[in-house]
Amino acid sequence: MTDSYLYNGQSPDDHVASCPDCGAAIALLDQSDTAVEPPPTLREAVLSMARRRRSPAVMGVASVAVPYAEQVALMDDLLAELSAPQWEAPIAKHGTVRGLVEHLASNDATVASFMGVPGKSGMPVHRRWREQAGSLLERVSHSSEVLLGVEVALAGARPARAPLRQALVQRTFETWTHADDIRAATDRSQTPPRPEHVHMIAEFGLALLPRAMREPRRDVSATVVLTGPGGGTWTIPLSPASDHVGVLLSADAVAFCRLLASRWPPGSFPYAAEGDPALARDMISAAATLGCD
């Protein structure tokens, strides 16, 4: 290579004289006798930029974990953007953004522990959450179909168990929900998942709905029609013997997922129902209890 190619027609000295970045870099090199401590935020800033260019969460992860991997990558970018005051922004139930991320890491730890991921401690909460989630995704990406069918404990106030593949849907759901909590607390716009992932989250919640009902319904099913991106139609048996549909309930798919997360008060949730109105109300109330807080 020639100097004219490297320096756009300038001599090296002329280029350094006119380029503040190169001048600053050479000034640092000239201080070779003195060790310079890097800024404490440098490591996370470099890792965050690397993840934006090539997210380790998505690359090479089994397809069952891709939705969770995408939400982990989005949450990681969001946390990297926060200023110090924004980490202390108030959030209901968890005190601050920092408290919410600690809660998320704690709920992730249930599945991470099942997968043999060692506990993370002694590091900032963002890094601790991210490294735990990354290790969980790495383990899942190398797991077998048999393991994905093994039941694990789900997060939430209601004790429940489900196959590992469904627990990963819940991890997707909770990570998205809390990312939107942080966006709301820091004046950012909410961001729904991809439509196919919305569909998956809605299906996960609807499968839990019969157990969340206050009392068993005899011989009744419910048809739920969710509209918009990620929508679909499901007929759910609300009792072991369900020989007819007692209600047809329709609502927006993304809004229904937010109801499942208890981010939409059931009393003001917009829906339409045909059939038994009391059953429809009970379903909406029960759906709002299925979040992970």
Side-chain angles (χ1 to χ4, degrees):
M1 294 183 182
T2 65
D3 283 351
S4 61
Y5 177 82
L6 288 172
Y7 302 105
N8 196 25
Q10 297 176 303
S11 71
D13 290 341
D14 289 342
H15 174 81
V16 170
S18 62
C19 177
D21 290 339
C22 289
I26 289 175
L28 284 174
L29 292 173
D30 287 342
Q31 299 174 7
S32 56
D33 292 337
T34 305
V36 178
E37 183 72 20
T41 58
L42 178 61
R43 182 182 188 276
E44 194 57 49
V46 171
L47 288 176
S48 180
M49 181 60 71
R51 289 168 190 146
R52 285 181 172 89
R53 292 179 177 270
R54 180 182 182 273
S55 171
V58 176
M59 300 300 292
V61 176
S63 60
V64 69
V66 165
Y68 176 47
E70 289 192 6
Q71 290 304 317
V72 166
L74 289 169
M75 174 70 96
D76 187 31
D77 277 353
L78 173 62
L79 296 179
E81 293 173 358
L82 298 182
S83 65
Q86 287 175 329
W87 275 94
E88 308 308 323
I91 286 189
K93 297 185 180 180
H94 304 294
T96 64
V97 169
R98 187 181 309 280
L100 183 145
V101 178
E102 289 171 349
H103 158 80
L104 178 60
S106 177
N107 279 356
D108 288 345
T110 300
V111 181
S113 176
F114 171 79
M115 295 299 295
V117 175
K120 309 289 183 180
S121 60
M123 59 182 70
V125 63
H126 177 188
R127 182 179 167 194
R128 175 161 53 88
W129 163 78
R130 182 60 181 80
E131 292 198 6
Q132 177 179 257
S135 297
L136 171 57
L137 283 162
E138 184 178 0
R139 297 290 178 91
V140 170
S141 71
H142 294 97
S143 63
S144 67
E145 185 67 22
V146 172
L147 186 60
L148 293 175
V150 175
E151 286 197 345
V152 300
L154 297 177
R158 293 176 175 273
R161 297 181 68 83
L164 175 59
R165 63 169 54 86
Q166 293 301 307
L168 290 170
V169 176
Q170 189 187 54
R171 296 297 84 230
T172 303
F173 180 27
E174 185 175 8
T175 305
W176 161 55
T177 296
H178 289 328
D180 263 2
D181 290 341
I182 294 170
R183 292 180 186 113
T186 58
D187 297 321
R188 290 168 165 85
S189 299
Q190 293 186 325
T191 304
R194 296 188 193 190
E196 60 268 33
H197 299 167
V198 170
H199 184 95
M200 177 189 69
I201 291 168
E203 190 164 70
F204 165 78
L206 288 169
L208 296 176
L209 188 57
R211 285 181 285 176
M213 302 288 285
R214 287 182 298 178
E215 58 186 45
R217 300 279 177 168
R218 292 188 178 277
D219 306 328
V220 174
S221 292
T223 295
V224 177
V225 179
L226 299 181
T227 59
T233 300
W234 294 263
T235 296
I236 309 160
L238 299 179
S239 67
S242 304
D243 62 0
H244 73 277
V245 174
V247 67
L248 187 153
L249 187 150
S250 60
D252 176 78
V254 174
F256 185 76
C257 290
R258 290 188 169 126
L259 173 72
L260 291 172
S262 193
R263 294 309 189 268
W264 201 310
S268 62
F269 182 72
Y271 69 94
E274 298 178 18
D276 186 342
L279 177 56
R281 288 193 297 270
D282 286 351
M283 289 174 61
I284 293 298
S285 295
T289 69
L290 295 174
C292 297
D293 292 318

